[in-house]
Amino acid sequence: MLLTFLSLLRKSKRPKSEPASAPPPPSQPSGRLSSRLEDNLDVLRRVFGNSSDVIFREFTLGASGETKAAVVYTECIANSEIVQRLLENLMIQAREVGISDAAASQSSGMERLLQFTVTVASARIETELAALTGNMLSGHTIVLLNGEAGALTVDTRQTKGRAVSESNVQTVVRGPLDSFTELIRMNTTLVRRRIKDTRLRVENVQLGCVTRTDVALMYVDGIVNESVVEEVRQRLKRIEIDGILESGNIEEFIQDETFTPFPTMYNTERPDVVAAGNSCSR
């Protein structure tokens, strides 16, 4: 009787099997673009889940509007003024270029747009879906043409942000008063203004499977220990986490000792301190 009771008790404590849930969608899409504009737009709408901040603008190109085209960008991350000028160039100048004459000139319509129409300095042709979506989330605008198995990614990133101001934490009486902001390119510029040396290297990497946070590794080539730089690169590559929201998340992954009275890393919001560290092989 007692054995039967214990057996029933053990059975009652067993966790109930939960129904299998559908696997989550991949964080980054894979595959290549199609030559049909409608298929590419459907894929992008499905990837972004018809998000309201992802803008799709369809139009036609050519002297008689024979070529269907579309631009896709992320609102507020892309600069609306640059996107507007890009659309004007595509709709006006593309008629003079002649997209339909691409076959006769032995170049694709996308290449003719890149050569004769797009006036933005940074632009290139991409065919991988993962690269396109990553560029879009960074502020690039995607140009698609019907009949082209590729897309034109144009740098239209929004550079406006919090202005460079005085540090509220690390205040000084003598010395520069500017401090870092939330824009990574502005921060690297503040350091490069102080180190006018061609050996200053800036290597960009994205961390976080979900947040895809931009991280910059800066050092002066020829001064820094190359083995230390390579070790930092490898430690950054080994970081596997959903989100990187502040520098402390990276620090926890790459430092050797987390509990030590001796500082192994230094945090600062002053670019002159970073420039001094780079000059001293850090």
Side-chain angles (χ1 to χ4, degrees):
M1 182 70 178
L2 181 60
L3 292 176
T4 304
F5 174 75
L6 292 177
S7 177
L8 293 175
L9 184 62
R10 284 195 297 268
K11 291 180 179 179
S12 63
K13 289 184 177 181
R14 292 177 182 174
K16 297 181 179 179
S17 59
E18 297 181 356
S21 58
S27 58
Q28 292 297 322
S30 59
R32 302 172 68 91
L33 290 176
S34 168
S35 59
R36 297 185 70 253
L37 176 63
E38 293 79 6
D39 294 342
N40 294 330
L41 293 178
D42 290 341
V43 170
L44 290 175
R45 288 190 177 97
R46 185 168 62 252
V47 167
F48 289 100
N50 293 319
S51 299
S52 59
D53 59 341
V54 178
I55 308 302
F56 292 81
R57 175 71 164 84
E58 299 184 45
F59 52 95
T60 58
L61 297 176
S64 57
E66 67 276 2
T67 303
K68 295 181 179 180
V71 296
V72 188
Y73 63 95
T74 308
E75 193 175 18
C76 293
I77 298 181
N79 190 316
S80 59
E81 296 180 359
I82 301 179
V83 175
Q84 182 65 30
R85 290 199 300 269
L86 175 63
L87 283 171
E88 291 177 357
N89 291 336
L90 290 175
M91 294 182 178
I92 298 176
Q93 297 183 15
R95 296 181 182 273
E96 301 176 359
V97 171
I99 300 300
S100 59
D101 299 333
S105 61
Q106 296 182 353
S107 62
S108 65
M110 198 69 68
E111 292 175 347
R112 292 178 67 82
L113 286 180
L114 183 61
Q115 293 175 3
F116 301 106
T117 304
V118 177
T119 58
V120 180
S122 178
R124 63 183 182 274
I125 298 175
E126 292 282 358
T127 58
E128 297 292 336
L129 187 59
L132 289 177
T133 55
N135 290 334
M136 278 186 56
L137 295 175
S138 298
H140 290 235
T141 297
I142 307 303
V143 181
L144 298 166
L145 292 180
N146 190 35
E148 296 280 344
L152 191 64
T153 170
V154 184
D155 189 354
T156 57
R157 284 176 289 187
Q158 180 73 263
T159 57
K160 295 181 181 180
R162 184 170 62 90
V164 178
S165 59
E166 183 179 354
S167 173
N168 295 324
V169 178
Q170 298 173 326
T171 57
V172 294
V173 177
R174 301 176 62 181
L177 302 178
D178 53 350
S179 62
F180 288 130
T181 68
E182 289 77 16
L183 297 176
I184 187 171
R185 192 52 64 206
M186 175 61 71
N187 294 338
T188 57
T189 302
L190 291 174
V191 178
R192 189 171 286 279
R193 284 177 180 174
R194 290 166 168 81
I195 304 180
K196 299 180 178 66
D197 195 315
T198 57
R199 295 175 297 172
L200 179 63
R201 304 288 186 259
V202 182
E203 299 180 7
N204 293 332
V205 62
Q206 287 187 334
L207 300 179
C209 300
V210 177
T211 59
R212 308 283 294 177
T213 305
D214 292 320
V215 177
L217 175 63
M218 301 189 68
Y219 61 92
V220 180
D221 191 21
I223 297 179
V224 71
N225 189 333
E226 184 60 35
S227 61
V228 175
V229 177
E230 182 61 28
E231 179 64 23
V232 174
R233 290 195 193 101
Q234 296 302 321
R235 295 191 183 192
L236 290 176
K237 291 180 180 178
R238 290 196 295 265
I239 295 178
E240 295 182 0
I241 190 174
D242 288 340
I244 297 291
L245 300 178
E246 51 102 6
S247 60
N249 301 141
I250 302 177
E251 184 177 345
E252 295 175 356
F253 282 96
I254 65 176
Q255 66 179 349
D256 291 324
E257 300 293 339
T258 56
F259 298 100
T260 173
F262 305 102
T264 58
M265 295 188 181
Y266 185 72
N267 298 318
T268 182
E269 60 178 2
R270 292 174 51 191
D272 60 319
V273 175
V274 174
N278 287 143
S279 303
C280 297
S281 71
R282 295 184 180 178

